[in-house]
Amino acid sequence: MLIQEGDKRTPATDLMLASILAFVAGGVNSAGYLGYRYFSANMTGNVSMASDFLAVSRSDLALGFLTIVVMFILGAFIASCLIEVGKRQLRRNIYALTLIVEAALLMLVGLFITLSARSPNGVLVVGLLSLTMGLQNAASTRISGSRVRTTHVSGVATDIGVGIAMLLGSNSSSDKLAIVLRLRLHLVTIVFFALGGVFGVLGYQHLGGLSFCALAMPLLLLSIRYLR
């Protein structure tokens, strides 16, 4: 699942990867919002909020939202750099290593929240969570040839609408099969993002910061077998 890239991947491996990573992303996004009122995976919303606050001369709040966006971009940049270095060194498990970095960061954030004597700064915490989401989205996008996108659902929802229209207008059975497989992938992504969101809220209510440690576990379980 974390070795084959692009067209070498099967629909089943993309489906499994999307379900796991979308669940984690939905959980991180919801738990972060419940705790600090910032989204770590919704860059569209964060840019919109920054624009809103700039329009009413609240540059301090706008800067917070823009910082989270920059951290997401930084995460994607770091993941891409790791992947490029890994490819040069012929490391077939570089995607697994990238997800382990994400899991480690999530666990550090969770422990930081739990062990802090006072409530941590929301922009700092969600900025770090956004960094992990950038890492994840870049890794899943690159390994799947842009088929698997897991940290936001706006583009996925658009693809569902486009796919349904294409399915209704297609007369080729092979084209229809390809469209159905893509639609299944997109639907699974949205469903597991939503399920992750439910887990994130319940987890944060009962575990607090340790919920982020719990959300790191699927990443570790997915990736650790590739370290042999």
Side-chain angles (χ1 to χ4, degrees):
M1 192 187 307
L2 295 179
I3 297 294
Q4 300 296 333
E5 297 181 64
D7 293 336
K8 296 179 182 178
R9 298 176 61 80
T10 66
T13 55
D14 277 347
L15 201 66
M16 182 63 68
L17 183 67
S19 61
I20 294 171
L21 296 188
F23 182 87
V24 172
V28 169
N29 197 49
S30 292
Y33 183 78
L34 182 63
Y36 301 96
R37 293 298 183 264
Y38 292 100
F39 284 121
S40 57
N42 182 6
M43 296 306 108
T44 303
N46 287 333
V47 172
S48 295
M49 290 301 295
S51 299
D52 288 348
F53 283 119
L54 282 173
V56 296
S57 301
R58 291 299 307 272
S59 57
D60 54 336
L61 294 175
L63 181 61
F65 284 102
L66 290 175
T67 298
I68 292 169
V69 174
V70 170
M71 292 296 283
F72 186 94
I73 295 170
L74 179 61
F77 172 76
I78 291 172
S80 294
C81 288
L82 288 173
I83 293 166
E84 288 302 315
V85 171
K87 286 178 175 292
R88 290 195 194 103
Q89 296 178 351
L90 302 179
R91 291 183 177 271
R92 299 182 70 234
N93 63 352
I94 188 57
Y95 291 102
L97 293 173
T98 303
L99 293 184
I100 286 175
V101 170
E102 179 192 351
L105 286 172
L106 284 174
M107 294 185 76
L108 287 173
V109 170
L111 293 173
F112 172 63
I113 295 170
T114 303
L115 299 176
S116 294
R118 62 179 68 180
S119 180
N121 179 274
V123 173
L124 172 62
V125 171
V126 180
L128 291 172
L129 294 176
S130 188
L131 180 76
T132 69
M133 293 295 94
L135 280 165
Q136 177 177 300
N137 206 47
S140 64
T141 298
R142 291 200 57 173
I143 195 171
S144 68
S146 299
R147 289 189 299 273
V148 176
R149 290 166 293 164
T150 60
T151 63
H152 54 281
V153 297
S154 298
V156 176
T158 301
D159 290 341
I160 290 174
V162 171
I164 292 172
M166 292 176 64
L167 185 64
L168 293 175
S170 176
N171 295 318
S172 167
S173 58
S174 60
D175 287 346
K176 285 185 176 181
L177 176 60
I179 294 168
V180 167
L181 290 174
R182 286 198 300 271
L183 285 172
R184 184 177 65 168
L185 177 64
H186 298 325
L187 287 169
V188 164
T189 299
I190 289 180
V191 168
F192 275 86
F193 190 93
L195 291 174
V198 174
F199 177 87
V201 169
L202 295 176
Y204 195 84
Q205 287 176 339
H206 292 88
L207 301 173
L210 291 178
S211 60
F212 297 110
C213 298
L215 286 164
M217 291 299 106
L219 299 173
L220 291 175
L221 293 173
L222 174 65
S223 305
I224 201 164
R225 68 190 183 97
Y226 293 97
L227 299 185
R228 300 179 215 169

